[in-house]
Amino acid sequence: MRAEARSGLLLSSPYAAFLLLFALYPIGFSLVLVLLKWDLVTAPSFAGLDNVQHLVGDARFWQAIVNTLVFLAIHLPLQIIVALTLAWALDRPLLFRAFWRATFFLPVVISGAVVTILWSALYATDVGLINGLLARLDLGPVPWLTDPAIAMPAIAVMATWKNVGFYVIIYLAGLQNVPRSCHEAIELEGATAWQSFRHVTLPLLKPQTLLVVTLSTINGFQLFIEPYILTGGGPLRRTLSVVLYMYRNAFSYQKMGYAATLGLALALLIAVVLVVQRRVIGSAEEA
Amino acid sequence: MRRTAFYVILALAATTFLYPFLWMVATTFKSPAEVGGLSLLPDQPTLDNYRLMWARAPFGRALVNSLFVAGTITLSVLVFGSAAAYSLARLNFPGRRILNAITIAILLVPAQLTLIPMYTLIVQLGWVDSYAALIAPYAFNATAILILRQFFLQVPRSLMDSARLDGMGELRILFTVFWPLAKAPLAMVGILTFMGAWNEVLWPLLVVRDEQIMTLPQLLTVFSLGGGAGPRQLATKLAAAMVLVVPVVVAYTFLQRYFIESMASTGIKG
Amino acid sequence: MASVFFEHVRKDFGTATVVQDFDLQVADGELVVLVGGSGCGKSTILRMLAGLESVTSGTVRIGDREVTHLPPRERDVAMVFQDYALYPHLTARENISLGLRLRKVPKAEIDRRVRWAAEILELQPLLDRKPKQMSGGQRQRIAMGRAMVREPAVFLFDEPLSNLDAHLRGQMRHEIARMQRRVGTTALYVTHDQMEAMTLGDRLVVLDGGRIRQVGRPIDVYRAPANKFVAGFIGTPPMNFLDGRLEREQDGPVFVSDTLRIPLAAERRPELPAGSGEAVTLGVRPEDLALADALGPATIRGQLVLAEVLGATTHLHAEVGGRRLIAAVPSGPSPAPGGAVSLSLDPRRLHFFAADGSSLLLDSASP
């Protein structure tokens, strides 16, 4: 065998071994696990489609899906509007531009656990910062995390705060690709600033918006640490996320087969949602 | 005139992002009576919260664990990852195309799918509560390999050929010729990998129960779940969070450009 | 449709004055070309008229409205940009009609105008394409259509042909001239290409360093340049310059340089300075030099360096006394490179410039 081929195999074999063990095997085994009932202590038993059946009728699972949709309904529009506004404000010569940019991006860099703990302090009903500020305005304390209707929206706002800086950078890059002469042309045609934004800037930002929506959606379906620390999935399971439920099934209830089923369902669900989103936003670009 | 409007918007936004952090820092120095107040300067600063926090859980140890785990992972991804990227980019060997295809396909698989099977694998290997469990599944990173491979493809073949003629072996070529050229992508991959590993929480929560092995974000999470919601507990939890935040913020203040460029460029290109 | 007035317009960028005391009147329906090298301020002047740059001092009027500080959207001007500035996500038809749609013009009227512009510019097959599916020339025509349907008071063209290849440029020049004449709208056209300037403009404004060096009809600017800058800028190949002195002798004034001695016809030069020994620069266009058989009074002798045959015309590059001269002569037998060559000047077609660059001819417009 040629020396180059030998070296190639040698250099890439650790990677290949890794892929086999930690990528290909788990993917394959996940499909197997769906058909098993296993608590990791005793031997696994074959369960056929029991897990899938249970999933379909599992009120907790469906509640988690609904919770995620509530999250997305608030998080996505908020994310787009805030990120776009801040990017638009930054897209011009400004003093301290680097400082503003760095400030907005700061929460992106901080660990999700820290952000969640920080917001647990902000949202705390009695000693939290937000209720403290509201008290100054003579407004009553709001049970941010203990009211079933408010808890998930509260998490959605927190997630926006954490991630918006990332999307500001994405939108900024997109804004800088809009040719200046297009703005000048439409200004000469009689457009107001808003019309110029709506007819020139916004359509040309479609790719960025699609990215924001896609990544934020994935993020929404992957919520774990936020409900885990803030609410434990309550109140009344209204902040239960699929991943949290999956974790509980594996770690606490020792139901590996069912947990894997949840994982597979989630993966499929994300894929479907992303395809639909791409269709909707992508086709609007063509129109 | 309009200029000031922009600065007002930006200042308001910046306050929303900075004020909570500043408030968090201040609260960690407050006694229970003052906790919850809006002031950024405690009237009677105290180190009690830090003392309590440090005594209650092994944060020092967790910090070392995090450094070790994140550091090892980053090293592995950079060294072994670039070896793999190099061979995929520049060497001809049987199976190269398949390996490439799998690398790209892997990126399409959501993490949720493989989470449970990986957990069962760790249990079966007997690696629960071990550093191996924290490090091994992250020793290679498909995204990193793709980024490095992309870069290596652009290094002129002539450099490689002349190095070979000089008698250099492949590893030599990789580390003495390619690496110096790849400072930018290596730095980017390094930052992304380190930050990702440093902040990872779900996986450690699955495979590690022993407090001595826990990483910092994990210990922090566990710690924050205990205790009540009273002012003292709140301040102590925030003090614990500070241990995790401060090194990152310090690094970020000096290296923000690199952080932003690394983390955002994956989005801009993707 | 209106006239345009610039009165004492000045533009500073920080401490640099980019446009100084600019005065210009453009008649209704006229096409005026602003021409000059880069940095001469021509684009800035255009953009000040459009409202895309602020005016440091002075007044700008369109018709009887003062527009100096009005925002661009209220000035009723349309502009054709160098990079076309088409909206990439819209079809040609949508590009052309967007401005009208924004102004809530009734749909029937929009369709009528689009059809009208499409007919004049031959755009019909392109209307449903997107910019990326069109060539540079096609995109430029769409940009022109967009400007036309607005039926503005003034058209502005900002180096619209600079991004096109040479052959296309020639074609588009005719399109633009034809369109402007047909529509009859006042137009200001900026270019650095003096050929565009000569062929398109009713009048030229030659600019240098933010100042007007000459205003006039193309033929007048060509025949009677007001100063050395205009003389050297307009005309291809550029005018040849020779430094020397004017001597008064018994028979009349004589131009003397180290290599030449040219007696000047008196009728032609009444305004030359009376004194002797005045330093002047002689200017002669390549097309006013001819191959001479023999050495005569108005003949220069030099060494042929290069002969460029362009077809019917040949450019002879000759070295005369250390200076390079170009002569544009009809193609035919000529000396071989390296050999001696004699060129004769037409004494009626000579230009003279004083030490400060201004022309010494009476019939040229003062700078």
Side-chain angles (χ1 to χ4, degrees):
Chain A
M1 190 184 286
R2 280 167 47 232
E4 184 179 323
R6 231 178 324 176
S7 311
L9 282 176
L10 205 63
L11 282 180
S12 59
S13 49
Y15 178 50
F18 172 86
L19 280 181
L20 214 56
L21 192 56
F22 289 111
L24 298 176
Y25 166 70
I27 295 178
F29 192 53
S30 75
L31 299 170
V32 170
L33 268 178
V34 172
L35 306 171
L36 295 180
K37 201 168 143 69
W38 192 19
D39 62 1
L40 280 183
V41 177
T42 58
S45 60
F46 186 73
L49 290 174
D50 282 355
N51 286 327
V52 179
Q53 250 181 328
H54 186 217
L55 180 78
V56 172
D58 187 349
R60 288 202 177 90
F61 171 69
W62 292 110
Q63 180 67 56
I65 300 286
V66 168
N67 295 340
T68 308
L69 293 177
V70 168
F71 173 86
L72 287 175
I74 300 190
H75 179 62
L76 283 180
L78 201 56
Q79 191 85 290
I80 294 176
I81 295 175
V82 175
L84 201 46
T85 311
L86 291 178
W88 172 80
L90 282 178
D91 183 34
R92 62 203 66 247
L94 283 173
L95 285 174
F96 311 125
R97 197 150 163 260
F99 169 73
W100 307 118
R101 225 175 42 148
T103 314
F104 303 147
F105 201 78
L106 179 60
V108 178
V109 169
I110 305 293
S111 131
V114 170
V115 171
T116 311
I117 291 175
L118 170 60
W119 279 78
S120 74
L122 297 184
Y123 276 143
T125 316
D126 299 316
V127 291
L129 175 60
I130 298 183
N131 282 344
L133 286 169
L134 289 178
R136 280 282 173 86
L137 301 171
D138 281 329
L139 293 170
V142 179
W144 298 106
L145 299 175
T146 45
D147 184 323
I150 304 183
M152 202 44 150
I155 295 185
V157 170
M158 174 180 84
T160 308
W161 184 88
K162 176 165 194 333
N163 287 313
V164 81
F166 181 78
Y167 299 111
V168 169
I169 304 292
I170 302 272
Y171 269 130
L172 250 184
L175 282 175
Q176 276 156 8
N177 280 337
V178 178
R180 188 164 154 232
S181 53
C182 276
H183 283 302
E184 292 180 341
I186 202 172
E187 211 187 333
L188 282 171
E189 300 227 69
T192 58
W194 166 248
Q195 283 173 323
S196 165
F197 187 76
R198 196 178 137 227
H199 290 276
V200 174
T201 314
L202 220 45
L204 291 177
L205 288 177
K206 276 272 161 60
Q208 282 75 20
T209 305
L210 182 60
L211 188 64
V212 174
V213 169
T214 304
L215 291 181
S216 295
T217 304
I218 296 179
N219 191 34
F221 277 105
Q222 288 178 340
L223 275 184
F224 167 71
I225 198 67
E226 296 87 348
Y228 185 61
I229 292 183
L230 284 179
T231 55
L236 299 182
R237 278 195 292 278
R238 295 286 282 272
T239 60
L240 182 68
S241 72
V242 181
V243 177
L244 179 56
Y245 189 43
M246 186 168 86
Y247 173 79
R248 288 238 178 89
N249 271 283
F251 196 76
S252 311
Y253 314 155
Q254 315 273 83
K255 292 160 83 175
M256 298 304 139
Y258 191 55
T261 315
L262 286 168
L264 181 60
L266 185 59
L268 289 173
L269 192 56
I270 293 180
V272 166
V273 169
L274 288 185
V275 165
V276 168
Q277 274 174 348
R278 173 154 233 139
R279 281 276 162 77
V280 169
I281 297 185
S283 69
E285 174 180 276
E286 260 69 49
Chain B
M1 216 351 244
R2 274 186 88 209
R3 249 354 43 177
T4 32
F6 283 121
Y7 286 110
V8 167
I9 297 179
L10 289 173
L12 274 174
T15 315
T16 332
F17 286 96
L18 284 181
Y19 183 65
F21 280 113
L22 298 173
W23 180 80
M24 174 169 102
V25 174
T27 309
T28 57
F29 292 109
K30 289 182 184 169
S31 57
E34 284 188 69
V35 167
L38 302 176
S39 66
L40 291 182
L41 288 171
D43 295 325
Q44 293 167 312
T46 164
L47 286 178
D48 282 349
N49 299 313
Y50 285 95
R51 261 174 275 189
L52 258 173
M53 170 269 292
W54 200 262
R56 284 237 189 94
F59 283 101
R61 171 83 194 223
L63 178 60
V64 170
N65 287 340
S66 273
L67 281 172
F68 174 63
V69 169
T72 313
I73 289 178
T74 308
L75 213 60
S76 167
V77 166
L78 286 178
V79 172
F80 294 114
S82 47
Y86 174 76
S87 63
L88 284 175
R90 286 270 110 124
L91 297 175
N92 224 335
F93 60 93
R96 179 176 91 152
R97 224 168 274 171
I98 307 178
L99 212 50
N100 254 335
I102 297 181
T103 307
I104 299 178
I106 288 293
L107 291 177
L108 294 174
V109 177
Q112 293 72 36
L113 189 63
T114 53
L115 191 68
I116 304 298
M118 285 238 270
Y119 175 52
T120 60
L121 177 62
I122 298 293
V123 171
Q124 288 187 295
L125 287 171
W127 282 3
V128 172
D129 276 333
S130 74
Y131 288 112
L134 292 173
I135 297 179
Y138 294 98
F140 286 88
N141 182 330
T143 315
I145 291 184
L146 276 180
I147 293 177
L148 290 172
R149 177 176 154 261
Q150 195 60 31
F151 184 82
F152 287 156
L153 278 173
Q154 290 165 353
V155 175
R157 189 151 261 259
S158 49
L159 277 176
M160 248 183 92
D161 292 338
S162 73
R164 280 229 187 96
L165 285 173
D166 284 341
M168 289 203 220
E170 306 296 348
L171 276 178
R172 249 295 163 79
I173 299 180
L174 169 61
F175 291 113
T176 58
V177 177
F178 278 65
W179 257 43
L181 294 171
K183 287 205 191 100
L186 282 173
M188 181 166 100
V189 166
I191 291 184
L192 282 173
T193 311
F194 191 84
M195 290 311 302
W198 182 267
N199 289 337
E200 177 63 44
V201 140
L202 173 52
W203 180 246
L205 280 174
L206 263 181
V207 298
V208 169
R209 294 116 222 258
D210 181 355
E211 265 190 8
Q212 295 297 313
I213 315 278
M214 284 189 186
T215 60
L216 199 46
Q218 182 186 11
L219 186 63
L220 179 61
T221 305
V222 167
F223 186 72
S224 75
L225 286 175
R232 158 136 282 149
Q233 286 83 349
L234 191 69
T236 319
K237 288 177 194 178
L238 290 180
M242 287 287 285
V243 181
L244 185 47
V245 161
V246 168
V248 173
V249 170
V250 168
Y252 181 68
T253 316
F254 291 109
L255 300 173
Q256 22 162 287
R257 245 194 64 213
Y258 298 103
F259 274 87
I260 297 183
E261 276 169 24
S262 312
M263 295 175 84
S265 70
T266 48
I268 293 177
K269 281 184 197 132
Chain C
M1 223 124 37
S3 15
V4 174
F5 302 88
F6 289 90
E7 284 156 15
H8 301 302
V9 171
R10 179 197 168 101
K11 176 68 182 172
D12 295 332
F13 280 120
T15 50
T17 302
V18 166
V19 176
Q20 323 209 22
D21 203 32
F22 183 77
D23 285 292
L24 182 67
Q25 221 175 327
V26 180
D28 187 5
E30 206 185 356
L31 199 177
V32 167
V33 178
L34 302 178
V35 64
S38 26
C40 70
K42 55 194 192 293
S43 280
T44 310
I45 293 169
L46 198 76
R47 289 167 66 85
M48 284 197 281
L49 180 56
L52 297 171
E53 298 280 0
S54 60
V55 173
T56 306
S57 66
T59 329
V60 181
R61 285 194 287 136
I62 299 180
D64 47 16
R65 283 200 310 157
E66 188 190 324
V67 301
T68 322
H69 300 293
L70 283 185
R73 50 191 302 265
E74 292 177 31
R75 297 196 184 203
D76 199 25
V77 302
M79 187 149 153
V80 178
F81 293 82
Q82 186 176 349
D83 67 354
Y84 326 125
L86 294 180
Y87 314 121
H89 58 292
L90 298 178
T91 62
R93 188 193 303 270
E94 289 164 345
N95 259 285
I96 294 177
S97 59
L98 181 60
L100 299 175
R101 279 184 282 139
L102 287 178
R103 289 188 199 253
K104 309 277 199 319
V105 171
K107 187 162 187 319
E109 174 68 10
I110 296 183
D111 288 340
R112 182 190 71 80
R113 293 199 200 180
V114 172
R115 248 176 300 138
W116 165 72
E119 188 236 309
I120 295 181
L121 294 168
E122 289 170 24
L123 300 174
Q124 290 91 338
L126 303 173
L127 286 177
D128 292 309
R129 288 198 212 162
K130 292 228 177 113
K132 61 175 178 248
Q133 296 165 308
M134 295 190 261
S135 70
Q138 291 169 329
R139 286 185 215 169
Q140 199 53 289
R141 299 216 310 271
I142 302 291
M144 280 164 53
R146 180 173 65 181
M148 280 168 68
V149 298
R150 287 263 318 282
E151 293 179 2
V154 185
F155 280 143
L156 303 179
F157 294 89
D158 191 359
E159 306 213 40
L161 306 183
S162 301
N163 286 5
L164 301 175
D165 65 58
H167 172 70
L168 204 46
R169 240 180 276 160
Q171 254 182 287
M172 289 299 297
R173 252 179 17 226
H174 302 143
E175 292 269 353
I176 292 179
R178 195 170 58 92
M179 185 273 272
Q180 192 267 340
R181 237 164 276 151
R182 170 126 174 224
V183 176
T185 307
T186 315
L188 251 82
Y189 188 105
V190 161
T191 180
H192 61 269
D193 183 323
Q194 53 104 36
M195 190 168 9
E196 272 169 46
M198 292 290 286
T199 55
L200 281 175
D202 294 323
R203 276 192 302 153
L204 297 187
V205 178
V206 183
L207 291 156
D208 182 43
R211 287 190 194 280
I212 298 182
R213 304 317 304 273
Q214 186 165 2
V215 180
R217 294 182 308 151
I219 192 62
D220 296 332
V221 174
Y222 174 80
R223 284 220 193 103
N227 51 66
K228 202 169 156 194
F229 175 80
V230 175
F233 189 85
I234 301 288
T236 297
M239 185 184 282
N240 297 294
F241 293 115
L242 292 167
D243 293 326
R245 293 182 319 279
L246 274 183
E247 306 279 358
R248 282 241 179 249
E249 295 180 0
Q250 308 94 307
D251 304 331
V254 177
F255 173 82
V256 178
S257 78
D258 8 313
T259 47
L260 288 183
R261 225 191 93 82
I262 307 173
L264 309 173
E267 326 85 56
R268 178 87 172 122
R269 308 274 175 256
E271 64 296 304
L272 288 177
S276 218
E278 213 45 49
V280 294
T281 304
L282 171 74
V284 57
R285 293 203 181 273
E287 46 271 30
D288 294 331
L289 288 170
L291 273 175
D293 308 315
L295 207 54
T299 309
I300 315 176
R301 200 178 168 79
Q303 196 188 44
L304 186 65
V305 175
L306 177 63
E308 293 177 303
V309 179
L310 279 79
T313 314
T314 296
H315 291 171
L316 299 175
H317 297 247
E319 183 133 339
V320 175
R323 292 291 214 94
R324 189 68 81 88
L325 294 182
I326 304 181
V329 301
S331 296
S334 64
V341 63
S342 296
L343 301 167
S344 68
L345 311 92
D346 183 341
R348 295 164 301 168
R349 305 284 265 258
L350 297 178
H351 301 259
F352 289 93
F353 303 97
D356 69 352
S358 59
S359 170
L360 294 170
L361 296 177
L362 203 57
D363 48 311
S364 62
S366 333

